[in-house]
Amino acid sequence: MTTIAPKMPKSWRTETKPHKFCPGCGHGLVLKALGEAIDELGIQDRVVFGCDIGCSLLSWDFFNVDSVQTHHGRTTPVVTGVKRARPDRICIAYMGDGGGYAIGAQHLVNAASRNEKITAILVNNCNYGMTGGQMAPTTLPQMKTETTPYGRDPEETGYPTQGPEMVAAITRENAYVARGTIANVRQLKGYLKKALQNQIDGNGFSFVEALSSCPTNWSMNAKETWAFVEKTMPEYFKIGELKAPAKKEEKIDV
Amino acid sequence: MTEKPINGEKRVFMTGNEVVAWAALAAEADIMYGYPITPQNEIMHYWTRLAPKYGRKFLQTEDEISAGFTTCGGVLSGKRAFTATSGPGNILMQESMTMAEMMRIPTVLVVQQRGGPSTATVIYSQQEVTMTCYGGNGEGLRIVYSTGSHQELFDYTIKAFNIAWKYRFPTFVLGDGYQAKMRESLYIYDPAEKGISMLKTVPFVGLEGMPGVDRDPSHLRNTYNTEEELYDVVTNLVAEYEKIAPEVIEYQTFDADDAEILIIAHGIVTRAAQAAVKALRSQGIKAGHFRPITIRPFPAGEARAVAAKAKKLLVVESAQGQFQRLVKDALYGLTVPMEGYFKPGQGITSEEIVEEVKKGL
């Protein structure tokens, strides 16, 4: 039997494929879109890729680019440190919803506030995957997880974090902020390209949230998983660009 | 009052994390604050399933910094509050636990050690010894129980609440990923069955009455203005800690009295050490074992008494000498030769210890 290797982005490291994510996980699609964006922009030799704890850490050897793995959403300050020291590099911070919106939320907020010229990519799959499926800041109301076994009650635990909306609210017009989904990889790639281009242009902070799947912890089959990503998640997490880059800093009236 | 979680005594076969959740329920813990990290997660999983049935509460915080400080808040409110963590989470809890040391807040923290440094492994280690005993910018004014079995996880989790509230020092149950994730037989029980009554908790803030009229307000602080002022505060804290230490220390010895080679180990490694002593004795080698259960405060005098009689000491641990530093500190001045068998982040079998002892004969 002959097997045909699927077409992979040039910037992927083939020696580490097949990758280590669970079957049906959306990380592979986000990283494919990112790989293609890196290829099309021709920046593979300039990228420094940072990933975090949780499932995102499985991407530590994913690309043929220099990479560093850390934890607790600290990928944002690690990559910020690289960018401040080497402004010619294209710095990417890749993390999950727990890293970005809970344990490392202060880093996301402050990197955005300081308008760090990095690209942060956050994968939203509504739970903590690697640790076994606990409630995340993005867990939808009534959703059952290991720490909300009777369903998430917003009266007790609040409503899901609207990350891009928050980042858009605290950044100026030269930031790029969008929410894409693995249900529309072409669109997601377009967002990621613009987010990288915004950094290349030296405009400001760039942030893309990607809606993604976690059939392992959602305990869903393929059909249910896809329906959840395609229909249920966007009802709460709206897809689209929240902030498109302006070439120059807008004059702000005082 | 809802019914008791455990009536009488029951034989069970559970993972260590499940054991901790049951122990906290049995110990009348009111609330758990926590954040996901492996290998501690299932303490939360069992707690979130069981707690509502017995009127207990849970809050998942945004990180371990918050989990530690919310635990301080819960305790300050007079609730039997606890949290649990591991590795990088234990690092983040050090900030709140130093506040607990300074303000004598009786927090209870269960640590299931994972590999380090940094993210490392989610499996097992004994590499959180230094941090759990001495983490933070202070003097390590804590009580740390290093457990070696599921039964001890149950017993000492219950005990930790009473010890914390009796002496008002932050109290830690130091387990590990093996104890957290493996299943083992043990007895779980209603503490009252064993004659253990849970100490009454008292609030430090949120007291009844009009402050300034009916009572003085609680003005709790961590901050001091002068060197002399702080010196007095810390000196008093240390003096109180040293005063209670003899009441708190716990240890075990195995064939230690006539031992020529004394194996010193703690936590789950004590089981390999105990088995090694049996094997060595059956081969005519006079081996013994000293095991501190409290590694902070350390049973220094007791360790010294048995170590002084031995011809050789072997410290065995799943870390690169963190525990050995505590032992050396306790045995300072003794001239008995000491060696270390260190496997950071890896388990240790009795066969390895036997081999190591025989190699050195």
Side-chain angles (χ1 to χ4, degrees):
Chain A
M1 195 181 90
T2 52
T3 52
I4 300 165
K7 193 167 166 282
M8 293 184 215
K10 191 170 72 59
S11 53
W12 275 24
R13 185 166 179 80
T14 51
E15 291 89 329
T16 60
K17 304 297 170 297
H19 58 63
K20 310 173 194 83
F21 296 102
C22 297
C25 171
H27 270 284
L29 287 169
V30 181
L31 292 166
K32 185 171 186 182
L34 178 60
E36 288 176 358
I38 290 169
D39 290 353
E40 289 171 25
L41 292 166
I43 55 172
Q44 188 183 340
D45 58 341
R46 293 163 65 200
V47 166
V48 175
F49 178 80
C51 59
D52 209 62
I53 204 171
C55 300
S56 87
L57 69 75
L58 295 175
S59 65
W60 70 274
D61 61 353
F62 205 93
F63 295 101
N64 262 330
V65 307
D66 294 339
S67 306
V68 54
Q69 176 257 327
T70 177
H71 59 222
H72 291 171
R74 319 298 185 218
T75 187
T76 303
V78 168
V79 157
T80 295
V82 173
K83 186 70 182 182
R84 288 277 176 158
R86 290 291 305 275
D88 60 317
R89 299 289 104 171
I90 310 301
C91 297
I92 300 170
Y94 185 75
M95 71 199 86
D97 37 22
Y101 297 152
I103 195 162
Q106 74 272 39
H107 306 310
L108 181 63
V109 165
N110 287 289
S113 297
R114 289 196 309 268
N115 201 27
E116 295 292 347
K117 292 170 183 60
I118 63 168
T119 302
I121 302 165
L122 187 146
V123 175
N124 171 358
N125 62 8
C126 295
N127 80 133
Y128 286 79
M130 183 70 94
T131 48
Q134 296 84 6
M135 182 185 76
T138 48
T139 296
L140 294 173
Q142 278 74 56
M143 201 172 162
K144 284 185 181 172
T145 70
E146 287 292 340
T147 50
T148 55
Y150 306 107
R152 180 176 188 170
D153 175 5
E155 288 297 314
E156 276 284 316
T157 58
Y159 283 89
T161 300
Q162 305 263 10
E165 288 79 358
M166 173 184 74
V167 173
I170 61 174
T171 47
R172 294 194 177 175
E173 291 311 312
N174 50 1
Y176 179 81
V177 184
R179 184 188 282 115
T181 169
I182 58 161
N184 189 341
V185 177
R186 190 177 299 175
Q187 180 195 55
L188 177 62
K189 184 176 83 178
Y191 291 167
L192 292 172
K193 266 179 89 172
K194 285 169 90 169
L196 289 166
Q197 189 62 50
N198 199 45
Q199 178 181 171
I200 294 165
D201 293 344
N203 278 340
F205 191 67
S206 304
F207 181 68
V208 177
E209 181 187 285
L211 301 186
S212 184
S213 54
C214 185
T216 301
N217 287 305
W218 293 351
S219 301
M220 288 184 189
N221 63 24
K223 199 176 162 190
E224 292 162 345
T225 298
W226 199 249
F228 195 80
V229 173
E230 205 173 26
K231 302 264 165 44
T232 309
M233 287 175 77
E235 285 170 15
Y236 191 88
F237 301 115
K238 303 290 178 209
I239 307 295
E241 290 178 293
L242 288 90
K243 218 167 214 179
K247 284 289 173 194
K248 286 178 192 157
E249 175 99 35
E250 301 279 328
K251 191 171 177 297
I252 294 169
D253 293 321
V254 185
Chain B
M1 185 70 187
T2 44
E3 58 173 312
K4 284 190 169 186
I6 307 165
N7 290 303
E9 186 176 53
K10 279 202 293 196
R11 184 84 167 151
V12 295
F13 184 61
M14 287 179 176
T15 66
N17 283 336
E18 190 176 1
V19 168
V20 170
W22 278 104
L25 276 177
E28 299 167 29
D30 297 300
I31 185 163
M32 177 185 187
Y33 304 90
Y35 186 77
I37 190 161
T38 312
Q40 162 278 144
N41 294 306
E42 294 82 7
I43 298 176
M44 295 189 303
H45 299 178
Y46 284 105
W47 183 263
T48 51
R49 280 161 179 75
L50 294 165
K53 296 177 183 166
Y54 302 99
R56 321 293 177 82
K57 294 173 86 173
F58 174 76
L59 177 68
Q60 184 176 322
T61 56
E62 69 275 22
D63 60 18
E64 289 90 348
I65 299 174
S66 180
F69 280 107
T70 47
T71 302
C72 287
V75 171
L76 287 170
S77 310
K79 298 295 178 190
R80 218 182 311 273
F82 76 108
T83 184
T85 193
S86 177
N90 194 0
I91 297 175
L92 298 187
M93 294 230 177
Q94 293 307 316
E95 188 182 353
S96 52
M97 292 305 118
T98 50
M99 171 171 161
E101 287 177 289
M102 183 62 127
M103 300 176 77
R104 306 284 301 272
I105 305 170
T107 51
V108 170
L109 167 52
V110 179
V111 178
Q112 303 286 30
Q113 296 168 93
R114 59 187 263 166
S118 195
T119 319
T121 70
V122 297
I123 305 165
Y124 160 82
S125 87
Q126 295 188 312
Q127 294 174 283
E128 297 176 47
V129 163
T130 305
M131 177 161 62
T132 306
C133 292
Y134 289 102
N137 59 332
E139 308 301 332
L141 303 173
R142 302 126 180 243
I143 294 160
V144 181
Y145 292 106
S146 177
T147 60
S149 68
H150 287 39
Q151 189 64 59
E152 288 183 357
L153 269 181
F154 189 80
D155 298 345
Y156 284 100
T157 299
I158 293 170
K159 188 167 199 171
F161 286 104
N162 271 349
I163 291 292
W165 280 91
K166 182 175 179 186
Y167 297 112
R168 286 184 58 187
F169 285 108
T171 302
F172 297 70
V173 177
L174 186 64
D176 57 61
Y178 286 171
Q179 294 179 66
K181 294 281 191 177
M182 287 194 309
R183 277 179 194 278
E184 190 165 81
S185 296
L186 72 151
Y187 290 98
I188 62 171
Y189 48 81
D190 172 10
E193 287 283 313
K194 303 269 180 189
I196 301 166
S197 54
M198 298 314 297
L199 288 189
K200 199 176 168 323
T201 60
V202 288
F204 306 100
V205 295
L207 307 169
E208 294 304 314
M210 175 63 74
V213 179
D214 305 323
R215 61 174 176 87
D216 286 337
S218 290
H219 287 156
L220 311 176
R221 63 167 170 167
N222 277 314
T223 178
Y224 295 94
N225 297 321
T226 67
E227 292 171 41
E228 292 74 14
E229 198 180 13
L230 177 70
Y231 173 79
D232 287 343
V233 169
V234 176
T235 305
N236 285 335
L237 284 173
V238 170
E240 288 200 45
Y241 184 82
E242 285 173 354
K243 197 178 86 190
I244 63 123
E247 295 172 37
V248 172
I249 51 163
E250 290 185 39
Y251 65 97
Q252 286 179 310
T253 56
F254 303 88
D255 291 328
D257 280 338
D258 64 339
E260 293 179 357
I261 167 90
L262 185 72
I263 301 160
I264 307 176
H266 77 104
I268 203 165
V269 179
T270 184
R271 293 167 70 165
Q274 289 172 38
V277 167
K278 273 191 192 149
L280 288 162
R281 287 270 170 180
S282 73
Q283 296 170 40
I285 297 165
K286 283 190 159 182
H289 170 41
F290 180 83
R291 178 233 173 168
I293 296 171
T294 49
I295 56 169
R296 179 87 182 124
F298 198 93
E302 294 75 5
R304 223 179 154 81
V306 287
K309 291 190 279 184
K311 291 193 175 131
K312 191 174 163 186
L313 309 172
L314 178 66
V315 180
V316 182
E317 61 176 304
S318 296
Q320 192 64 37
Q322 294 191 31
F323 174 64
Q324 193 193 45
R325 280 199 286 276
L326 303 181
V327 175
K328 280 183 175 170
D329 190 32
L331 302 186
Y332 178 74
L334 279 193
T335 52
V336 185
M338 181 191 292
E339 282 180 15
Y341 184 67
F342 304 143
K343 290 184 78 182
Q346 247 195 314
I348 296 170
T349 64
S350 58
E351 290 83 356
E352 288 175 84
I353 300 177
V354 168
E355 202 180 314
E356 188 66 20
V357 167
K358 289 166 91 173
K359 215 164 67 183
L361 287 178

